Structures are given as C-alpha cells and as structure tokens.
C-alpha cells in the first residue's frame, strides 16, 4: 500500500527523502560525530562550537520532519473523510434505486422499463466496490443487497451509514471506520478506503522507527568521557 501512495501522491517522494540518508540521517550522523569530536578534544573551542551548530541543524531538521509528517497525516485524514462521505452517498443511491426497481418490476410494468435503473445501480455498485471492496447479492424481488465482510450495508431501501471515529496518538488524529448506528468497527480490508486507513499509522511508525534506528547505529566507540578517560566499544 505504501508503494501505491509513493507512485500516486506527490508528497511521498519528498517525505521519504527526509527519512533517507540525504536528510535526517545525515544530520544525525554529523551531530553524533561532532559529539565524539568534543569528547576527544574537550578543550578545542572550534570543535565545541561545531557540535553546537550540528545540534541546532539536527533540531531544525527534526522539527521540519515533524511538521511534514503531521501535514501528511492531516491530508490522509481529509481524504478518508471525503471517501466515507462518498461511500455513504453511494449506499443511499443504491437503496433508492432498489426501491424504484422493485416498484417497476413488481408493479406489472415491463422489466425493460427498469433496465436503465439497473444499469445505473450496477455502475454505482462498481464504484462502491472500488472504494470498499464490498460484495453484492441480488434478491428475488430485484433489490440488491450490499455486504462488507458479512455486515450488511444496504438491504432493500435501508442503509447502514459509515462514520469515522478519531483516536489520538501523540496529539495527531487517526481515523477509524465504524457503523454510525452501533459504533461497532467495520471490517473493510480491500478497496481504496481500506488502503488509506493503515497509511496514517504506518507514517508515524516509519518516522519514529527511522529515528530510533539512526540513534542506535550512531558511532560510540573510541570516545573519551568528559573526565578524559577512554571509553570502550
């Protein structure tokens, strides 16, 4: 899913660059290197000033990356909200078409009169499937039932609306899907909307994990402590 976003969204290449060896990693490496230099040459004023400069650069880079991650997460949440509104509109449209088709075909009219309505419903169901990967079953009366992993979304003229619940992780909102009527989570594991939800959490994990890896791999051997003693590996 990440690869899909990297191909289609302009912000991914720049953000991934900030997580690469060309940006934040470089700042981390230079900062820890300058700290090592200070430990090895504690009386050298220019070395200490350089360490201060590298620390300031690292702080700026971390703040910039934090803002970029927050901006991307905000953008993804907005996309999820728009997709959910679109899904609910498609569910409502299928339900309304169900009522019309059942009325036409069950009222003694020629079934050919409902062909246009059926085509419209089929196109609507295809768009819905593209968004949430639902399944459909046509009922004996001509109505189309829509399900998501066994939970019904449309039954005749009735729909179950999807809502968004926001959980907060370190001050950033994360969207989760649920049924409006019961607040129960909805199981959607395919379609465009299913692909958007994990990206929000994956984004934060990628940034935090990258920082931890860079800190863990920072050079620590061959340094002197502040009292001048030699440290080991």
């Amino acid at each position: 899913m990440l690869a899909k976003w990297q191909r289609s969204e302009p912000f991914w290449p720049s953000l991934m660059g900030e997580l690469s060896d060309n940006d934040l990693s470089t700042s981390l490496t230079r900062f820890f290197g300058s700290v090592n230099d200070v430990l090895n040459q504690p009386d050298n004023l220019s070395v200490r000033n350089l360490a201060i400069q590298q620390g300031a650069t690292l702080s700026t880079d971390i703040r910039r990356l934090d803002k970029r991650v927050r901006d991307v997460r905000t953008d993804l949440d907005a996309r999820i909200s728009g997709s959910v509104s679109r899904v609910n509109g498609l569910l409502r449209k299928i339900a309304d078409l169900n009522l019309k088709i059942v009325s036409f075909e069950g009222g003694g009219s020629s079934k050919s009169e409902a062909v246009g309505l059926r085509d419209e419903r089929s196109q609507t169901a295809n768009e819905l499937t593209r968004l949430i990967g639902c399944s459909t079953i046509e009922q004996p009366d001509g109505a189309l039932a829509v399900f998501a992993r066994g939970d019904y979304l449309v039954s005749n003229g009735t729909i179950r609306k999807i809502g968004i619940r926001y959980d907060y992780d370190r001050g950033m909102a994360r969207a989760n899907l649920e049924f409006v009527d019961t607040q129960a989570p909805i199981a959607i594991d395919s379609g465009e909307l299913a692909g958007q939800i994990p990206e929000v959490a994956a984004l934060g994990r990628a940034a935090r994990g990258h920082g931890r890896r860079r800190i863990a791999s920072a050079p620590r051997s061959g340094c002197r402590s502040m009292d001048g003693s030699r440290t080991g590996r």
Side-chain angles (χ1 to χ4, degrees):
M1 291 178 182
L2 179 59
K4 173 184 175 182
W5 278 98
Q6 285 177 303
R7 288 193 300 270
S8 61
E9 300 303 321
F11 53 71
W12 272 113
S14 62
L15 182 59
M16 291 300 101
E18 290 170 20
L19 290 172
S20 74
D21 290 339
N22 296 324
D23 287 280
L24 183 60
S25 295
T26 302
S27 295
L28 282 164
T29 299
R30 288 174 177 172
F31 171 71
F32 284 116
S34 67
V35 170
N36 280 341
D37 291 341
V38 170
L39 293 175
N40 288 318
Q41 306 176 62
D43 296 328
N44 190 320
L45 182 60
S46 63
V47 170
R48 287 155 58 178
N49 286 336
L50 179 60
I52 293 172
Q53 293 173 11
Q54 295 294 352
T57 298
L58 176 61
S59 176
T60 298
D61 288 345
I62 289 174
R63 286 196 298 270
R64 185 190 71 243
L65 180 58
D66 176 73
K67 182 179 184 302
R68 290 286 295 127
V69 170
R70 290 175 184 274
D71 288 347
V72 171
R73 289 186 68 161
T74 298
D75 181 84
L76 288 172
D77 280 336
R79 291 170 181 268
I80 291 168
S81 179
S83 294
V84 167
S85 295
R86 181 57 179 162
V87 166
N88 285 330
L90 294 172
L91 294 176
R92 181 73 269 166
K93 185 174 181 179
I94 290 173
D96 291 344
L97 288 169
N98 277 344
L99 296 177
K100 293 178 181 178
I101 290 170
V102 170
S103 176
F104 267 104
E105 296 182 347
S109 302
S110 170
K111 288 189 176 183
S112 62
E113 297 182 34
V115 169
L117 296 175
R118 280 181 168 274
D119 288 344
E120 184 178 1
R121 187 179 66 181
S122 178
Q123 294 172 5
T124 304
N126 288 339
E127 183 178 355
L128 183 63
T129 299
R130 178 176 59 80
L131 287 172
I132 61 173
C134 58
S135 59
T136 61
I137 300 175
E138 183 169 338
Q139 305 301 305
D141 62 358
L144 190 70
V146 181
F147 299 89
R149 293 286 298 274
D151 293 311
Y152 90 85
L153 299 176
V154 179
S155 178
N156 296 315
T158 303
I159 72 169
R160 296 184 71 189
K161 293 183 67 176
I162 296 174
I164 308 174
R165 182 186 75 252
Y166 288 97
D167 295 329
Y168 289 86
D169 177 16
R170 304 183 188 187
M172 291 183 283
R174 180 170 59 188
N176 296 280
L177 301 182
E178 64 181 14
F179 289 109
V180 172
D181 55 356
T182 63
Q183 286 75 57
I186 178 171
I188 296 177
D189 56 8
S190 62
E192 291 183 8
L193 184 54
Q196 292 169 2
I197 296 294
E199 291 302 324
V200 181
L203 182 62
R205 289 196 301 270
R208 291 194 295 270
H210 183 83
R212 286 194 296 267
R213 288 193 300 273
R214 294 307 304 175
I215 291 173
S217 63
R220 293 185 176 85
S221 61
C223 303
R224 293 186 183 275
S225 65
M226 295 305 290
D227 64 3
S229 62
R230 194 79 173 179
T231 62
R233 289 183 177 272

